[in-house]
Amino acid sequence: MIERQKFCIVQLGEYSLGFDVRFVRSVHESTKLTPLPIPVPFVMGVLNLRGQVISLFNTFDICKLPAQKSTQQNERKTFLFLECARGKGGLLIDQIDDVIEVNLSELHPPQSNFNPSLRTFVSSILKYQDRLVLILDFEKIYDVICGGNV
Amino acid sequence: MLDDEIAREFLLESLEHLNSLDEALLHIENGNAPDIDGIFRIFHSIKSAVAFLELQQLENIAHQSENILAVVRDKNKELQIDDIGVFFQVGDCLRQGLAAFEKKEDFHPSNLENLLQDLDALNSKINSSEQVVVAKRPVRKSKRKPPPKPENPASESHSLESDSNIRIQISLIDEIINLIGELVVARNQAIRVVEHVAEPEMRPIIHRIDHLTTIIQEKIMTTRMRAIDSAWKRYPRMVRDLSHELGKDISLKMVGQETELDRGLLNMLQEPMRHLLRNCIDHGIESPDERERAGKPRDGTIHLKAFQSTGQVVIEISDDGKGLDEEKILSKAINTQLITEAQATQMDNKQIQQLIFAPGFSTKQAVTHVSGRGVGMDVVHTQLTKAGGQVELDSVFGKGTTVTIRVPLTLAILPALIVQTNEHYFAIPQDNIVEIVDLQDKTGELQQIGDATVYSLRGKLLPVLLFEDILNKEKSPIENGIIIVLDTNELKFGLIIQHVMDTEEVVVKPLGEELQGFQIFSGVTIQGNGQIAWIVDPTAIAQISGLRAGLQEEEILQQNQNITPVLRFHIENYGSAAINIKRIVRIEEIHDQDLKIYGTRCLYTIQKTVVTVYAFGQFDAENLKACNLIICETNTGLIALRVQQVFDIYHEEFEESPSINSLGSMILLDGEPTSLITPESLTEEHL
């Protein structure tokens, strides 16, 4: 039997990013974002999501990507909500593309000359249609966010 | 493979038995008549349990212990105090073994062989001893098999228990509590909506839901409550072991074990409590010789006391040891550059004693394994503060030390005042709020002393902080706002915020790890309107802003003067009146609809307490209006007085003229004749 894994593919700027669906909880569009009274690195604000207070993370800052004009001007923001053992939060994305199931053999390790700021989170690279999808590890992203507070 | 569920039952049961074993053994050691039968039964039950769990080694030692006890019991041999020690060790070994089993680890205790040898030695000693007092029963030769009888009492009582009790996973209860938290939020939202929508038939339904939700919430919270005894019952053993090790004689006296506390808090208290007890044993209580020289009894005493007081649980740990040596603390603090010599000269005893809570402070010369790694009291302090508690220290050199811990009854739900600053909402715990002062037109009373701002509140100087500054980490001039006077038990200060919104019972949600950098917020909550509010931690604000107790000397001076501050207000159908401010608990702005009339009595519910409302004149059912309730304290409880307008607090000397009615005397305030009412007179007078 070939081992298969499901990924949620999202668009962020010029990048296609993928997340293991086991960490993905939901996708929400939101206009009502509660700002933080004291700024915290990477956290754009919090949201009342069905009685839970969830932090929203600025994916551009975390991945050190240049912010895209289109998302910054848009009032409505889309967030992909993820949860790992250590914590949870919503990652700012442009839009959700697809949920796909692939064979593990289709995943490639990131090349050694890969963008170093992204390399920390990229667990593997997947060829999807004619694009390259960076598979991100939410646990590592969350570690970096929490590390930013120390 | 064993059924996990059943194995767990056996495990829990054995651990309970081990706790009673400790109790029974200590009982003997304290010179009481031994309950050999009881101890035998305990070992027997444990033996059956570990046999079921297939723990051969543990079964062996439990079996050996049981044998010895059987001999002691049946041959009426006497058990020497010195012999008790080995049973303590057996208990420990069993406990470790079971803990290892729980974690599914292998258990290879190094001392098992020794323990078996000790048991063997004891066995032969008992068998050969001639301390047969009276042979009441015929001596039976071999006691390999225990008699079936003692098995029953234990299991009978057990089955009785299981009829009315069930074991529930804590995680399930926590989940229910979370869901009820959501229900409370939804209820608050519903109440808000109903206030604005005039659907008469909806109101009673919502009120009923409101009422029921409150009851469910209270009930479910009680399931989280546990008697403090569940943690304390380990202490006698711990005190015994440590004091023996240090060659001290210490007895532990406990009062109020039945006091109930939230389970989570109880867990959080474990570590600090153990630390404090160790401190008493190691640092506090002197060696017997030292004590004798100081004219004290040779054995020291540690008192543990727990009780509830105003929504808090108070725990006192006091010893009759040597107390804190202020000079030693000072020299140590100066040596470690915690304070400068100049600072040292200005500190009073209380402040010096507080130094031991500073990080890295420990005066014990050598590091012992009991205590004294230099991380002692500051850890206690931080852990308790995290649990929303406070710790106070009171020590008299040569006489002893008392540490008082205060923790809230529960962590999950908090009565709070919602305030607004900039576009953010904040929830301030009601427990910390003393009063609220509107700065309007009174900014002149703010004074700068160095870079500190103080406000003269009824003649006392109160340090004030602009909340905006704390948020923005900068300093800006204070233009206007509202001072929330906060009391952290250690000190009082004012926090200037922009708007006061409402009081609400908020459900505390912990901050995610990504927001742990917020030191001044202890959590977050969702208000009835769905808005998020940050829960403010006044103690952390005081710490971050570098506030120190001390600015309050002024206050003490003021209190000595003979001025009674009074609150003046206007009562419809009566006139101007005033009440001593110290008797007033709070003022509620309400609407007549909020009052409930039962026969000739009018009632109002405030924070789950029903108070009788005293009013002058009749309620006009056609013409209901907004009014204020002044809630006062009387020696028989709280009462409320319905008034129309509240003016101000007066703190001046006044002359009392004879009274015109039974309510009290007349005074002049602002040139206005005012009736100075005592709350008691209201209850006597039929209004």
Side-chain angles (χ1 to χ4, degrees), chain B residues 395-507:
Chain B
S395 175
V396 181
F397 184 51
K399 289 265 161 58
T401 308
T402 301
V403 178
T404 310
I405 296 172
R406 286 164 204 279
V407 285
L409 275 178
T410 169
L411 287 175
I413 290 180
L414 186 79
L417 180 76
I418 309 286
V419 303
Q420 194 192 11
T421 287
N422 299 343
E423 77 272 35
H424 308 292
Y425 293 98
F426 302 95
I428 304 177
Q430 290 269 22
D431 276 352
N432 293 106
I433 300 177
V434 185
E435 63 181 304
I436 300 170
V437 182
D438 195 340
L439 260 183
Q440 212 138 47
D441 311 324
K442 288 183 199 158
T443 35
E445 288 179 46
L446 287 171
Q447 294 157 27
Q448 285 298 127
I449 301 181
D451 44 329
T453 312
V454 293
Y455 176 77
S456 67
L457 177 68
R458 293 192 288 283
K460 304 166 203 167
L461 290 183
L462 182 80
V464 292
L465 303 166
L466 190 59
F467 195 35
E468 233 178 308
D469 285 354
I470 298 169
L471 298 178
N472 300 340
K473 295 181 179 129
E474 58 178 35
K475 253 191 120 52
S476 50
I478 299 165
E479 276 152 9
N480 217 336
I482 294 156
I483 304 181
I484 311 285
V485 182
L486 297 168
D487 189 349
T488 67
N489 267 8
E490 278 165 30
L491 52 90
K492 260 192 196 173
F493 67 98
L495 190 67
I496 302 180
I497 50 98
Q498 285 164 356
H499 305 285
V500 170
M501 309 304 287
D502 202 355
T503 58
E504 210 169 283
E505 298 237 313
V506 301
V507 180

Side-chain angles (χ1 to χ4, degrees), chain B residues 512-524:
Chain B
E513 208 178 325
E514 69 275 6
L515 300 177
Q516 290 298 324
F518 283 157
Q519 284 156 309
I520 61 166
F521 303 126
S522 55
V524 65

Side-chain angles (χ1 to χ4, degrees), chain B residues 32-55:
Chain B
N32 298 302
D35 175 19
I36 299 292
D37 249 0
I39 300 174
F40 175 86
R41 275 205 299 274
I42 292 171
F43 273 119
H44 183 72
S45 315
I46 295 174
K47 190 188 78 172
S48 333
V50 292
F52 178 82
L53 298 175
E54 293 165 4
L55 300 169

